[in-house]
Amino acid sequence: QLVESGGGLVQAGGSLRLSCAASAYTFHSYTAGWFRRTPGNDREWISCENSDGTQTYADSVQGRFFTSRDFGQKTAYLQMNNLKSGDTAVYFCARFSDETNCRRGEFGSWGQGTQVTVSS
């Protein structure tokens, strides 16, 4: 089970760090993915971080968002900088077997999401 935290209200230009804690397993040998969903819109892929440390990001967040995981690999993080009003969404983390599934958002174990609201 994955539990996201760290969401909240922030002004445009500010930063937040989201956490994704795994309770029953770790991210070791798995790909950690982040997604978001806004009302009325489809789920949007944000990033994947593979077990070897390689990372990929959506163009919309490239250079502003950064993923990481703790040493024990039980928690994944999404550092969000220079937030914009368009970043307002519910953010989800998930664990995947590989980057292909991560990019597609398929066959993953998902958290419940955390709300991020960016005020302009």
Side-chain angles (χ1 to χ4, degrees), residues 1-4 20-21 25 27 32-37 43-47 90-96 101-113:
Q1 182 179 3
L2 300 176
V3 178
E4 299 96 337
C20 174
Y25 45 73
F27 286 99
W34 288 91
F35 296 75
R36 65 188 180 189
R37 188 190 300 273
R43 185 181 63 200
E44 177 188 5
W45 168 73
I46 295 174
S47 67
V90 178
Y91 284 73
F92 300 86
C93 67
R95 190 185 77 154
F96 301 92
N101 285 329
C102 177
R103 293 288 295 264
R104 295 173 178 174
E106 295 180 348
F107 308 113
S109 298
W110 295 83
Q112 83 291 346

Side-chain angles (χ1 to χ4, degrees), residues 25-31 51 69 72-74 95:
Y25 45 73
T26 72
F27 286 99
H28 180 66
S29 299
Y30 289 88
T31 296
S51 58
R69 49 180 82 181
Q73 306 228 23
K74 288 191 67 72
R95 190 185 77 154

Side-chain angles (χ1 to χ4, degrees), residues 14-20 32-34 36 46-50 53-70 75-83 87 91:
S15 299
L16 280 176
R17 188 175 80 156
L18 305 183
S19 299
C20 174
W34 288 91
R36 65 188 180 189
I46 295 174
S47 67
C48 298
E49 180 180 4
N50 299 311
T54 57
Q55 302 168 351
T56 54
Y57 297 92
D59 290 343
S60 59
V61 304
Q62 181 77 46
R64 298 189 299 122
F65 290 14
F66 303 92
T67 65
S68 63
R69 49 180 82 181
D70 69 357
T75 304
Y77 301 98
L78 180 67
Q79 177 68 41
M80 306 185 295
N81 301 324
N82 190 21
L83 284 161
D87 294 320
Y91 284 73

